[in-house]
Amino acid sequence: MKTVYIVRKEHFNAAHKLWRKDWTAEKNEEVFGKCANKNWHGHNFNIFVTVKGIPNPETGFVINLKDLSAIIKKEVVERFDHKNLNLDVPEMNGILASTENLIMKIWELLESPIDLAGGTLAKIRLEETENNFVEYFGGKEPY
Amino acid sequence: MKTVYIVRKEHFNAAHKLWRKDWTAEKNEEVFGKCANKNWHGHNFNIFVTVKGIPNPETGFVINLKDLSAIIKKEVVERFDHKNLNLDVPEMNGILASTENLIMKIWELLESPIDLAGGTLAKIRLEETENNFVEYFGGKEPY
Amino acid sequence: MKTVYIVRKEHFNAAHKLWRKDWTAEKNEEVFGKCANKNWHGHNFNIFVTVKGIPNPETGFVINLKDLSAIIKKEVVERFDHKNLNLDVPEMNGILASTENLIMKIWELLESPIDLAGGTLAKIRLEETENNFVEYFGGKEPY
Amino acid sequence: MKTVYIVRKEHFNAAHKLWRKDWTAEKNEEVFGKCANKNWHGHNFNIFVTVKGIPNPETGFVINLKDLSAIIKKEVVERFDHKNLNLDVPEMNGILASTENLIMKIWELLESPIDLAGGTLAKIRLEETENNFVEYFGGKEPY
Amino acid sequence: MKTVYIVRKEHFNAAHKLWRKDWTAEKNEEVFGKCANKNWHGHNFNIFVTVKGIPNPETGFVINLKDLSAIIKKEVVERFDHKNLNLDVPEMNGILASTENLIMKIWELLESPIDLAGGTLAKIRLEETENNFVEYFGGKEPY
Amino acid sequence: MKTVYIVRKEHFNAAHKLWRKDWTAEKNEEVFGKCANKNWHGHNFNIFVTVKGIPNPETGFVINLKDLSAIIKKEVVERFDHKNLNLDVPEMNGILASTENLIMKIWELLESPIDLAGGTLAKIRLEETENNFVEYFGGKEPY
């Protein structure tokens, strides 16, 4: 029984800010720095979705990448691309738009559709810039 | 007389939208597509500034990269980073925030300070995403 | 009159070989090396298409990137992607599939459609690998 | 006892197709899409081989990278580079040339030589494109 | 309890050589190859530091990236950047400057400050070139 | 008459410092900053060599990339790789090891051998880091 991990990369461009209404402007700036700019800023986000499984002997595939790409596009790209993460995405309502909170939300959105397609979501990597990114294993701690 | 070209890369993250108030929402969407989203979207912009000159025999430098980096940070990064290009940048007032218009504006901002530092601005490259970018030679057509 | 250059990147994956029927196998291998392997090999090609022009004051665009992307997809990607450059592409019939010959052919395919869309094709860059690539200015010699 | 992981990247360019002789052309195209093109297509493959171990106190090395590079070149690059994965590689005979099957085969080829050189093969990453790749831990599931 | 992993990239440029005084020049060259050049050589090192934790519900952060960046700059970049790893860094005294030894030393330098800032150091990746790099989990073997 | 430009990338890792013996330590540090560190520092240099010409109708090549790669390896990589640019390279004797001076020297080294191989050296790009690099057209000013 040989588990292989397959990864598909997609991307989306979005605006956001880090801001708590229950804090003063000073407190927001102290904690969130430039990310608290009231008129928003934005990023080119890259997302890498890892699915694990035993390759199907008939196709050689853990999951068909056409299907995996379609799931990510439907659940993530269409929801977030060229959007404002704070204003345009109902799923992020009332949630601080940090990459940590975003990646946990994306896991929720992808887990079932990937399951239905016969794969198992194993890891997500979400890059905000080439210097800052988060990784998530569904809450597990492999290391 | 040997001209060398030296390039410095910097980056900034900003929000913007493409939108004309004198057009209907339909016309805006038809022309600008997803970039017309009313609540903004954003990008990680990379900027490459090329300065040309004959290396100073005393230092081996066309321009000291510390000086060039400082000029770009003062004139471009501080103005645009973690900002909304439509709302937060007076220089872009009343100008459509396309990369074409942005790179022409950045040329205006950089030309004199680089001149004062003893170099000659030769080219700017402004990347909005890894798939979309503009290049500008001050209006000239080298090819 | 301010000329701006705008660049769009697309990619395609293709098989090819370098082989002259009028040469012996030894001569083919001597000149073309591993690229002469009779059963083909392949690459992930990246193409960067540069269009120049004066930005339209109404849109801020040299050319709408949706249009430019659509032209490249129609003329290049659909023709070459997941194809054999020697067998599947009528335009390459009887032409050695070197990157030099390929980029000149791609120029012919793109020049008119870009013209019709209101832009001027200025440069193409075609990457075969990250170490090997060609650039073409329609035959001109800017440097 | 401190385990360190050391990684060496190599690459190869190859042609392949995804095709089952016992399926109709329609079925092949339905499942494998453009990858079923009968005249092949190709990719620039990147391979990252991770070896783990406790650094040798005399050299500071888990494994000498000259040795690791030589093993990958002998076992993988010479076998696959500028080849047709379906026709030119006896080890892939009768095996669908999916990246999943390819990475499992490469593990078999590398495991013993790395063992003989004093290291332990821990992970392989095989990139078909920058958007599609597989990772393999010898069948284990670290996450 | 949902653990998220956050990564920050920094870089430094340094000189080093691999050389044992208790070996002959021939033995040094046999084992360390070009890296034994007596007059040094150098690299652009990239370092990726991974911190794990449960996001703080108030900020959405595992750790504030401003703090993580400041820690890496203080403990790593200021110590190693534009330095000679063999001559200028007291912490590397008497230690062969292999990437394996370097990453273990960097772990020691980062572990406590990150702990004090409320995070848990989970992984370091240290790239010497794009082809050669090491990863370290504090000595643990997740796979 | 259709000129095509072909580019080959190679790399080398070297140590250097920027230092004038006829200046005080203070003056050296003021002008050259961290690059003046007396015990050297180093970089992974990338070099891109552009050759122009009309493709040979028999081969489809401006220049055979095997030949171009061999010339760059002989003239540049063997001379600079894993070396100290100030101490180990006779051609740099008495010359400040700035990237500007280095690229002009490399042009001298490559021009004749490329000419003999039937091509014309058109441009060199030398990257010291991903943020700092120089370009050279043999002293000409195409823009």
Side-chain angles (χ1 to χ4, degrees):
Chain A
M1 299 293 274
K2 303 284 195 178
T3 298
V4 178
Y5 294 72
I6 189 154
V7 186
R8 174 73 190 171
K9 177 190 176 193
E10 302 284 349
H11 64 271
F12 56 95
N13 309 319
H16 77 146
K17 69 177 167 189
L18 297 178
W19 184 269
R20 287 189 68 102
K21 288 180 196 165
D22 56 341
W23 284 359
T24 61
E26 288 71 30
K27 181 75 187 291
N28 271 294
E29 223 169 281
E30 183 202 322
V31 174
F32 297 125
K34 293 180 298 180
C35 298
N37 178 46
K38 76 176 192 305
N39 285 326
W40 325 97
H41 66 284
H43 297 289
N44 303 331
F45 290 91
N46 288 319
I47 180 166
F48 299 77
V49 177
T50 304
V51 172
K52 70 178 176 184
I54 295 164
N56 179 331
E58 208 175 28
T59 60
F61 287 168
V62 167
I63 189 172
N64 194 319
L65 281 170
K66 284 187 296 181
D67 298 334
L68 179 55
S69 174
I71 290 169
I72 307 171
K73 279 185 177 133
K74 177 162 178 256
E75 299 297 337
V76 180
V77 177
E78 284 178 26
R79 221 177 225 108
F80 299 119
D81 189 33
H82 283 74
K83 295 287 171 60
N84 185 310
L85 300 179
N86 302 71
L87 301 180
D88 294 330
V89 186
E91 287 81 2
M92 293 297 290
N93 256 358
I95 301 178
L96 267 166
S98 70
T99 49
E100 289 94 327
N101 286 340
L102 194 55
I103 202 170
M104 290 190 290
K105 181 56 68 183
I106 290 174
W107 184 280
E108 285 177 34
L109 294 167
L110 289 175
E111 196 173 21
S112 294
I114 287 172
D115 218 59
L116 283 170
T120 302
L121 180 57
K123 178 183 173 181
I124 302 176
R125 173 179 171 129
L126 179 67
E127 298 181 344
E128 192 178 78
T129 72
E130 61 178 315
N131 297 323
N132 295 336
F133 49 95
V134 285
E135 299 186 320
Y136 191 58
F137 304 88
K140 281 189 251 171
E141 284 198 28
Y143 52 84
Chain B
M1 297 293 273
K2 304 283 196 177
T3 299
V4 178
Y5 295 72
I6 188 155
V7 186
R8 174 73 190 173
K9 179 190 174 192
E10 302 284 349
H11 64 272
F12 57 94
N13 309 319
H16 78 147
K17 69 177 168 188
L18 297 178
W19 183 268
R20 286 189 71 98
K21 287 180 197 165
D22 56 341
W23 284 358
T24 61
E26 288 70 31
K27 180 76 187 291
N28 272 295
E29 222 168 282
E30 184 202 321
V31 174
F32 297 124
K34 293 179 299 180
C35 298
N37 178 47
K38 76 175 191 305
N39 286 326
W40 325 96
H41 66 283
H43 297 291
N44 304 330
F45 289 91
N46 288 319
I47 180 167
F48 299 77
V49 177
T50 303
V51 173
K52 70 176 176 184
I54 295 163
N56 180 331
E58 208 176 29
T59 60
F61 288 168
V62 166
I63 188 173
N64 195 320
L65 281 171
K66 284 186 294 180
D67 299 335
L68 179 55
S69 173
I71 290 169
I72 307 171
K73 279 185 177 131
K74 175 161 177 258
E75 298 297 339
V76 180
V77 178
E78 283 179 27
R79 219 174 226 112
F80 299 120
D81 189 33
H82 282 73
K83 295 286 171 59
N84 185 310
L85 300 178
N86 303 71
L87 301 180
D88 294 330
V89 185
E91 286 81 2
M92 293 297 291
N93 256 357
I95 300 177
L96 267 166
S98 70
T99 49
E100 288 94 327
N101 286 340
L102 194 54
I103 202 169
M104 290 190 291
K105 182 56 68 183
I106 290 174
W107 184 281
E108 285 177 35
L109 294 167
L110 289 175
E111 197 173 20
S112 295
I114 286 172
D115 219 59
L116 284 170
T120 302
L121 179 58
K123 179 184 173 182
I124 302 176
R125 174 179 170 132
L126 178 66
E127 299 180 344
E128 191 179 79
T129 72
E130 62 179 314
N131 297 323
N132 296 337
F133 49 96
V134 285
E135 299 186 320
Y136 191 57
F137 303 89
K140 280 189 253 171
E141 285 197 29
Y143 52 84
Chain C
M1 298 292 275
K2 303 283 195 177
T3 299
V4 178
Y5 294 72
I6 189 154
V7 186
R8 174 72 190 172
K9 177 190 176 191
E10 302 285 349
H11 64 271
F12 57 93
N13 309 320
H16 77 145
K17 68 177 168 188
L18 297 178
W19 183 268
R20 287 187 71 101
K21 287 181 197 165
D22 56 343
W23 284 359
T24 61
E26 288 69 31
K27 182 76 186 292
N28 272 295
E29 222 169 282
E30 184 202 320
V31 174
F32 297 124
K34 293 180 299 181
C35 298
N37 178 46
K38 77 175 191 306
N39 286 326
W40 325 97
H41 66 282
H43 297 290
N44 303 331
F45 289 90
N46 288 319
I47 181 167
F48 299 76
V49 177
T50 304
V51 172
K52 70 178 176 182
I54 296 164
N56 180 331
E58 208 175 31
T59 60
F61 288 167
V62 167
I63 188 173
N64 195 319
L65 281 170
K66 285 186 294 181
D67 298 335
L68 179 55
S69 174
I71 290 170
I72 307 171
K73 279 185 177 132
K74 177 162 177 255
E75 299 298 338
V76 180
V77 177
E78 283 178 27
R79 220 175 226 110
F80 298 120
D81 189 33
H82 283 74
K83 294 288 171 59
N84 185 309
L85 300 179
N86 302 70
L87 301 180
D88 293 330
V89 186
E91 287 81 2
M92 293 297 290
N93 256 355
I95 301 176
L96 267 167
S98 69
T99 49
E100 288 93 328
N101 286 339
L102 194 54
I103 202 170
M104 290 191 291
K105 181 57 66 182
I106 290 174
W107 184 280
E108 285 176 35
L109 294 168
L110 289 175
E111 196 172 22
S112 295
I114 287 172
D115 219 60
L116 284 170
T120 302
L121 180 58
K123 178 183 173 182
I124 302 176
R125 174 179 170 132
L126 179 67
E127 300 180 343
E128 191 178 78
T129 72
E130 62 178 315
N131 297 323
N132 296 336
F133 49 96
V134 284
E135 299 186 321
Y136 191 57
F137 303 88
K140 281 189 252 171
E141 285 198 29
Y143 51 82
Chain D
M1 299 291 275
K2 303 284 195 175
T3 298
V4 178
Y5 294 72
I6 188 154
V7 186
R8 174 72 191 173
K9 178 189 175 193
E10 302 284 349
H11 64 272
F12 57 93
N13 309 320
H16 78 146
K17 68 177 168 187
L18 296 178
W19 184 269
R20 287 188 69 102
K21 288 181 196 163
D22 57 341
W23 284 359
T24 61
E26 289 70 31
K27 182 75 185 292
N28 271 294
E29 223 169 281
E30 184 202 322
V31 174
F32 297 124
K34 294 180 297 181
C35 298
N37 178 46
K38 76 175 192 305
N39 285 327
W40 324 98
H41 66 283
H43 297 290
N44 303 331
F45 289 90
N46 288 319
I47 180 167
F48 299 77
V49 177
T50 304
V51 172
K52 70 178 176 182
I54 295 163
N56 180 332
E58 209 176 29
T59 59
F61 288 168
V62 166
I63 188 173
N64 194 319
L65 280 171
K66 285 187 295 181
D67 298 335
L68 179 55
S69 175
I71 290 170
I72 306 171
K73 280 187 177 131
K74 176 162 178 255
E75 300 296 338
V76 180
V77 177
E78 282 178 26
R79 220 176 226 109
F80 298 119
D81 188 33
H82 283 73
K83 294 288 170 59
N84 185 309
L85 300 179
N86 303 71
L87 301 180
D88 293 329
V89 186
E91 287 81 2
M92 293 298 289
N93 255 356
I95 301 177
L96 268 166
S98 70
T99 49
E100 289 94 327
N101 286 340
L102 193 54
I103 203 171
M104 291 191 290
K105 181 57 66 181
I106 290 173
W107 184 280
E108 286 176 35
L109 294 167
L110 288 175
E111 197 173 22
S112 296
I114 286 172
D115 219 61
L116 283 170
T120 301
L121 179 58
K123 179 182 172 182
I124 302 175
R125 174 177 169 132
L126 179 66
E127 299 181 343
E128 191 178 77
T129 72
E130 62 179 315
N131 297 323
N132 296 336
F133 48 96
V134 284
E135 299 187 320
Y136 190 58
F137 304 88
K140 281 190 249 169
E141 284 198 29
Y143 52 83
Chain E
M1 298 291 275
K2 303 284 195 178
T3 299
V4 178
Y5 294 73
I6 189 154
V7 185
R8 174 72 190 172
K9 178 190 174 191
E10 302 285 350
H11 63 271
F12 57 93
N13 309 320
H16 77 146
K17 68 177 168 188
L18 297 178
W19 184 268
R20 289 188 68 100
K21 288 179 198 168
D22 55 342
W23 284 359
T24 60
E26 289 70 30
K27 182 75 186 292
N28 271 295
E29 222 169 281
E30 183 203 321
V31 174
F32 297 124
K34 294 180 299 180
C35 298
N37 178 46
K38 76 176 192 306
N39 285 326
W40 325 97
H41 66 285
H43 297 290
N44 303 331
F45 289 91
N46 288 319
I47 180 167
F48 299 77
V49 177
T50 304
V51 172
K52 70 178 176 183
I54 295 164
N56 179 331
E58 209 176 28
T59 60
F61 287 168
V62 166
I63 188 172
N64 195 320
L65 281 170
K66 285 187 294 181
D67 298 335
L68 179 54
S69 174
I71 290 169
I72 306 172
K73 280 187 177 130
K74 176 161 178 258
E75 300 296 339
V76 180
V77 177
E78 283 178 26
R79 219 175 227 111
F80 298 119
D81 189 32
H82 282 73
K83 295 287 171 61
N84 185 309
L85 300 179
N86 302 72
L87 300 179
D88 294 329
V89 186
E91 287 81 1
M92 293 298 291
N93 256 356
I95 299 177
L96 266 167
S98 70
T99 49
E100 288 94 328
N101 285 340
L102 193 54
I103 202 170
M104 291 190 290
K105 181 57 66 182
I106 290 174
W107 184 280
E108 285 177 35
L109 294 167
L110 289 175
E111 196 173 21
S112 294
I114 287 172
D115 219 61
L116 284 170
T120 302
L121 179 58
K123 178 182 172 182
I124 302 175
R125 174 178 170 132
L126 178 67
E127 299 180 344
E128 192 178 77
T129 72
E130 61 178 315
N131 298 324
N132 295 337
F133 48 96
V134 284
E135 300 186 320
Y136 191 57
F137 303 88
K140 280 190 252 172
E141 284 197 30
Y143 52 83
Chain F
M1 298 292 274
K2 303 283 195 179
T3 298
V4 178
Y5 294 72
I6 189 154
V7 186
R8 174 73 190 171
K9 178 190 175 193
E10 302 284 349
H11 64 273
F12 57 94
N13 309 319
H16 76 146
K17 68 177 168 188
L18 297 178
W19 184 269
R20 287 188 68 101
K21 287 181 196 164
D22 56 342
W23 284 358
T24 61
E26 288 70 30
K27 180 76 185 293
N28 272 295
E29 223 169 280
E30 184 202 321
V31 174
F32 297 124
K34 292 180 299 179
C35 299
N37 179 47
K38 76 175 192 304
N39 286 326
W40 325 95
H41 66 283
H43 297 290
N44 304 331
F45 289 90
N46 288 319
I47 180 167
F48 299 77
V49 176
T50 303
V51 173
K52 70 177 175 184
I54 294 164
N56 180 331
E58 208 175 30
T59 59
F61 287 168
V62 167
I63 188 173
N64 194 320
L65 281 170
K66 283 187 297 181
D67 298 335
L68 179 55
S69 174
I71 290 169
I72 307 171
K73 279 185 176 133
K74 175 161 178 258
E75 299 298 338
V76 180
V77 177
E78 283 178 26
R79 220 174 225 110
F80 299 120
D81 189 33
H82 283 74
K83 295 287 170 60
N84 185 309
L85 300 179
N86 303 71
L87 301 180
D88 294 330
V89 186
E91 286 81 2
M92 293 298 289
N93 255 358
I95 301 177
L96 266 166
S98 69
T99 49
E100 288 94 328
N101 285 340
L102 194 53
I103 203 171
M104 289 190 291
K105 181 57 67 183
I106 290 173
W107 185 281
E108 286 177 34
L109 293 168
L110 289 174
E111 197 174 20
S112 295
I114 287 171
D115 219 60
L116 284 170
T120 302
L121 180 58
K123 179 183 173 181
I124 302 176
R125 174 179 170 130
L126 179 67
E127 300 180 344
E128 191 178 78
T129 72
E130 62 178 316
N131 297 323
N132 296 337
F133 48 95
V134 285
E135 298 186 321
Y136 191 58
F137 304 88
K140 281 189 251 169
E141 286 197 28
Y143 51 84

